[in-house]
Amino acid sequence: MAVSVLDLVGMRPGEPAGSAIARSVDLARHVEKLGYKRYWLAEHHSIPGLACSATPVLIGHVAAATKTIRVGSGGVMLPNHAPLVVAEQFGTLEALYPGRIDLGLGRAPGGDSQTMRALRKDLGRSGDDFPELLDELRTYLGTEKPGQLVKAIPGQGSNVPITLLGSSCFSAQLAGSLGLPFAFAAHFAPEYLYAAAQLYRQQFRPSKILQSPYLMVAVQVIAAETDAAAQRLFTTPQQRFLRLIRNQPVELLPPVDSMEPLWQDWERAAVESRLGAAIVGSDRTVKTKLQKLVTDTGASEVIVVSDTYEHSDRLQSYERVANVARTIGTPPTVAVDEAAATK
């Protein structure tokens, strides 16, 4: 089973961003040796505790520190940016690291409404124009068209592989109709996972990029020696989501023996809903739940989100997941053509 990484570059309280980024580089080198397929970096803005606002800069930094693993965005929130700028940025990354750059695209703001206004300026943009923005971006990354006046240089003809990301059915339907890979964000929005997976397959139309659907599922996974040890480590992401719904900074906090003193009943329900797809436990438990996830969704690839307070626990978790993944098969599928991802 193909496994990849999604990194939000979490910071500890009072920690400089540089330290968190250094841990991400170390993790990328670690998972590269373990055979992970991709290392994706998220885009979030104005969220204390996450150092992933300048996603293309981080991608270049991680790609420079690694050799073979694909590095990309999970994802660039396209309505935040001019398509030409995105094409130039990723065209430049592709020129620097040929054959290793991915462009995952989403349509969410990546922050609150005030941050969205600061990013987009045009208050009329709500994400509904995502298909048009995507088409414009693909024009800049694809083969130059006759009479095309504006070109992305670098970028034009680079064919940087595009994957659509989503936490609902909108992008699932769009990815299917365009014959693009689709990645679902079950790590924070699991309730629509199965509906989106089904819709993606129903709407899928073969393209130059894919002859059959290619579904990726991002999911929270923490693996440890025992179920109890993993559940204790899991209290770190639980505390993050608890602080998120309280509009508090979301830094990485040390694990606790019990969450019960920390949340009210409605908060517990909200956190458990957000983390409903999380896979937490020993190697045996993780294997059983990963196998069920792949069987139930038909996923070709699992994107693993593992946030722990201690870096050593995170490294060990990813190593355990890699070992488990080698024992799990996936449904037959046509692999993504990494060299032909635009029109």
Side-chain angles (χ1 to χ4, degrees):
M1 183 185 74
V3 284
S4 297
V5 175
L6 175 62
D7 186 6
L8 279 67
V9 196
M11 295 184 287
R12 296 169 179 167
E15 179 184 35
S19 296
I21 294 169
R23 283 200 305 274
S24 292
V25 169
D26 186 66
L27 176 62
R29 288 170 171 162
H30 183 69
V31 298
E32 181 176 60
K33 295 176 183 177
L34 295 172
Y36 278 77
K37 187 171 185 177
R38 316 173 198 273
Y39 196 98
W40 279 4
L41 294 133
E43 177 187 337
H44 291 288
H45 300 275
S46 193
I47 300 180
L50 302 181
C52 58
S53 57
T55 313
V57 178
L58 291 174
I59 291 170
H61 185 59
V62 171
T66 53
K67 297 179 180 179
T68 58
I69 194 169
R70 300 191 66 86
V71 188
S73 56
V76 163
M77 301 297 107
L78 186 55
N80 291 344
H81 313 283
L84 176 61
V85 174
V86 176
E88 291 170 340
Q89 290 172 340
F90 279 79
T92 300
L93 287 167
E94 176 65 24
L96 291 169
Y97 310 103
R100 293 182 56 206
I101 301 300
D102 289 332
L103 177 50
L105 297 170
R107 68 186 187 101
D112 58 26
S113 58
Q114 291 81 11
T115 303
M116 182 183 72
R117 289 188 180 93
L119 282 166
R120 299 182 180 178
K121 301 299 183 184
D122 179 3
L123 302 185
R125 281 194 174 181
S126 62
D128 293 338
D129 58 348
F130 181 75
E132 291 76 19
L133 295 173
L134 173 62
D135 186 64
E136 182 181 351
L137 173 61
R138 297 180 79 192
T139 296
Y140 294 137
L141 292 175
T143 303
E144 182 180 339
K145 296 180 178 180
Q148 181 177 334
L149 298 179
V150 179
K151 307 174 185 65
I153 303 173
Q156 202 74 53
S158 62
N159 294 315
V160 177
I162 289 175
T163 299
L164 298 193
L165 282 59
S167 57
S168 65
C169 292
F170 181 94
S171 292
Q173 184 172 356
L174 181 60
S177 66
L178 295 175
L180 292 172
F182 176 59
F184 188 86
H187 61 294
F188 70 85
E191 61 269 27
Y192 296 111
L193 169 60
Y194 298 101
Q198 182 178 16
L199 184 61
Y200 172 58
R201 295 184 185 283
Q202 289 174 343
Q203 296 293 318
F204 186 84
R205 300 292 182 270
S207 68
K208 294 180 181 179
I209 302 149
L210 286 176
Q211 290 301 302
S212 62
Y214 194 91
L215 173 66
M216 310 177 198
V217 177
V219 63
Q220 299 263 351
V221 185
I222 292 184
E225 186 173 355
T226 65
D227 287 350
Q231 287 291 341
R232 188 174 189 278
L233 296 177
F234 187 53
T235 61
T236 291
Q238 285 177 319
Q239 290 179 83
R240 166 181 280 175
F241 276 88
L242 176 60
R243 292 171 69 87
L244 180 66
I245 65 176
R246 290 176 174 176
N247 291 317
Q248 297 174 339
V250 295
E251 294 104 337
L252 296 170
L253 297 179
V256 295
D257 293 332
S258 173
M259 289 292 294
E260 292 309 315
L262 302 181
W263 53 24
Q264 301 180 43
D265 289 345
W266 72 269
E267 291 175 324
R268 174 178 182 169
V271 172
E272 290 180 346
S273 175
R274 289 286 194 97
L275 295 173
I279 295 173
V280 181
S282 64
D283 295 358
R284 182 176 180 178
T285 298
V286 168
K287 178 179 179 178
T288 299
K289 293 185 176 182
L290 274 178
Q291 182 70 73
K292 186 177 188 304
L293 175 70
V294 170
T295 300
D296 291 349
T297 63
S300 301
E301 185 174 333
V302 174
I303 304 173
V304 179
V305 185
S306 298
D307 284 315
T308 61
Y309 182 75
E310 294 294 344
H311 187 54
S312 58
D313 291 326
R314 196 181 190 201
L315 296 179
Q316 184 182 93
S317 180
Y318 274 110
E319 185 167 351
R320 289 179 178 275
V321 171
N323 291 335
V324 166
R326 295 187 186 100
T327 69
I328 297 176
T330 55
T333 185
V334 175
V336 182
D337 183 352
E338 304 286 10
T342 59
K343 290 179 181 178

